[in-house]
Amino acid sequence: MKNCPKVSIVIPVFNVANFLDISIGSAIDQSYPNIEVIIVNDGSTDESAEIIKNLISNVPFARLYNQENQGLSAARNYGLSKATGDFIIFLDSDDQIRKNAISLLINKINSDKTNVVFFNYSFYNINSETTVKGPVINERLEGISDSKLVLRSLLRGQIEHHAWGFIAKKNIYLDNGIEFPVGRFYEDISTTYKIIISQFSNNISILHSPILYFYSVRKDSIINTKSLNHIRDILLGAQEIIDTLKNESAFQTDLQIFSEHIIKWVTVLSSRLENKKDRKIAMQNIMLFSNINELKIFGMKSEKKSLVDFIYKLFGVRGVYFTYRLKEILL
């Protein structure tokens, strides 16, 4: 490959000893010739550190860094600070990537002359060892797309916020001061949109196929965890996006759709909280978010109708909450 920039694969690790073999293995086995694997052990209390040492003992391009437990955001930030590559891609420590993923992404970057590539992923169920296709990036986005159209797709839920869902030039993070907010869950809600905004003067590439990333589904993963702090952090990240774009007339309809999606999502999550006091506080936070942003919910047309859409249109936030709360009680 003539143009062969260095790619840093950053892997934050915390107590996932049983999954490291597959995850780190998929990184060090990449077919692309110019990579480094940066592993940040975020204060694991299991055997993760020892397993990592064994896995990379004979891998000269892999490095392990240990830090006291500070959370996923801090681990990603630390990995980013240690990376020496021209491009950055994140890999969660219980997930895996296709063997030729980096080669395909760099080929796309070279051919399109872009600095960011988004790609599709699949869910991998660890218990059943089955793979299910994940949400597909807006198929109307071409291989090379205007970054403002990409942002609109993000706001409309047609591209997801995952930090591992794209590869980006490292200088985009450095030049724009983009870091993951330490101490928060769903921290990539507060970062991915900044990557896109930074490219408003450039195009962004979309690699629709093949599937490059395999997201592991397990009971104790963040996506399956429900807490009041999760809901607060989702709303906080969403509010940051709204505040950043609220004066941009081109994105007003997109922000309304984004806000509606966020409210329905966290309302369903709040209905599943076990503690009654937490459910009440969560609903107060959701109603405050709705009131602050003066959402024009009833005048909107949803692109896809669902039970949540129907209940939401008739009864609003509380209707969604009570419906899903009743479902949790009955089931």
Side-chain angles (χ1 to χ4, degrees):
M1 191 179 294
K2 292 181 181 178
N3 191 357
C4 191
K6 187 175 183 179
V7 176
S8 299
I9 304 174
V10 177
I11 309 175
V13 172
F14 178 71
N15 287 356
V16 284
N18 293 334
F19 310 104
L20 292 173
D21 187 32
I22 293 176
S23 179
I24 293 176
S26 74
I28 62 180
D29 287 342
Q30 284 297 299
S31 60
Y32 187 72
N34 192 14
I35 66 169
E36 67 174 0
V37 179
I38 305 293
I39 306 163
V40 181
N41 175 34
D42 185 41
S44 294
T45 56
D46 63 1
E47 293 132 12
S48 290
E50 205 57 43
I51 291 172
I52 294 168
K53 289 178 184 177
N54 292 332
L55 287 171
I56 67 173
S57 60
N58 295 313
V59 183
F61 55 84
R63 288 178 283 159
L64 169 62
Y65 296 94
N66 294 292
Q67 65 174 26
E68 293 184 6
N69 180 248
Q70 300 176 55
L72 178 57
S73 291
R76 282 182 175 154
N77 290 338
Y78 189 76
L80 183 60
S81 73
K82 294 297 182 181
T84 62
D86 303 292
F87 287 86
I88 299 288
I89 185 170
F90 291 98
L91 171 63
D92 281 1
S93 53
D94 52 352
D95 300 340
Q96 54 188 301
I97 53 176
R98 184 181 293 273
K99 184 178 178 66
N100 62 341
I102 304 301
S103 292
L104 291 172
L105 290 168
I106 294 300
N107 280 335
K108 186 71 173 166
I109 286 167
N110 288 338
S111 62
D112 294 351
K113 294 180 173 55
T114 54
N115 297 321
V116 179
V117 184
F118 281 85
F119 49 85
N120 284 311
Y121 71 97
S122 287
F123 292 107
Y124 175 71
N125 189 305
I126 290 175
N127 296 323
S128 63
E129 297 185 348
T130 56
T131 301
V132 178
K133 194 173 184 180
V136 177
I137 291 174
N138 184 359
E139 293 180 347
R140 287 173 290 183
L141 291 177
E142 302 295 336
I144 309 176
S145 294
D146 183 287
S147 56
K148 293 183 179 179
L149 294 179
V150 176
L151 181 60
R152 293 188 67 188
S153 292
L154 183 81
L155 296 173
R156 289 171 176 259
Q158 298 160 342
I159 287 181
E160 299 196 355
H161 300 262
H162 302 307
W164 43 258
F166 59 90
I167 187 172
K169 202 162 190 177
K170 185 178 71 173
N171 283 346
I172 293 175
Y173 291 93
L174 302 182
D175 295 346
N176 296 281
I178 299 174
E179 291 187 331
F180 296 92
V182 176
R184 279 201 223 164
F185 298 100
Y186 294 95
E187 68 292 332
D188 32 15
I189 292 176
S190 298
T191 52
T192 300
Y193 82 98
K194 295 177 183 178
I195 296 289
I196 299 173
I197 288 175
S198 76
Q199 298 302 293
F200 271 4
S201 59
N202 302 305
N203 289 323
I204 287 177
S205 293
I206 309 293
L207 187 61
H208 289 287
S209 62
I211 299 295
L212 300 185
Y213 195 100
F214 302 92
Y215 180 89
S216 295
V217 179
R218 53 191 178 91
K219 290 181 180 179
D220 55 346
S221 63
I222 289 177
I223 197 172
N224 287 320
T225 305
K226 302 174 287 292
S227 77
L228 179 59
N229 286 334
H230 284 78
I231 292 169
R232 283 172 167 164
D233 288 347
I234 292 169
L235 291 173
L236 182 57
Q239 190 63 56
E240 288 176 355
I241 293 177
I242 293 169
D243 290 343
T244 300
L245 298 170
K246 64 184 179 182
N247 295 322
E248 300 287 337
S249 58
F251 298 107
Q252 294 311 299
T253 300
D254 308 299
L255 285 176
Q256 288 291 319
I257 294 172
F258 171 69
S259 300
E260 181 183 0
H261 287 170
I262 290 292
I263 284 183
K264 286 186 285 191
W265 178 24
V266 294
T267 301
V268 171
L269 289 181
S270 71
S271 73
R272 296 172 179 169
L273 297 176
E274 294 182 2
N275 185 285
K276 184 177 180 180
K277 182 179 178 181
D278 285 351
R279 292 198 301 271
K280 182 178 180 180
I281 295 172
M283 286 303 298
Q284 290 172 346
N285 279 271
I286 295 167
M287 295 304 295
L288 179 62
F289 175 87
S290 178
N291 292 334
I292 287 174
N293 295 296
E294 298 179 348
L295 301 180
K296 303 178 182 67
I297 295 165
F298 299 105
M300 294 182 53
K301 294 180 180 179
S302 299
E303 293 183 1
K304 286 180 91 174
K305 297 293 183 184
S306 66
L307 176 61
V308 180
D309 292 318
F310 180 72
I311 296 170
Y312 193 35
K313 185 173 182 180
L314 289 180
F315 305 109
V317 173
R318 293 192 183 278
V320 175
Y321 169 79
F322 284 116
T323 299
Y324 277 84
R325 184 64 197 143
L326 181 61
K327 181 180 177 183
E328 286 294 308
I329 293 172
L330 294 177
L331 297 179

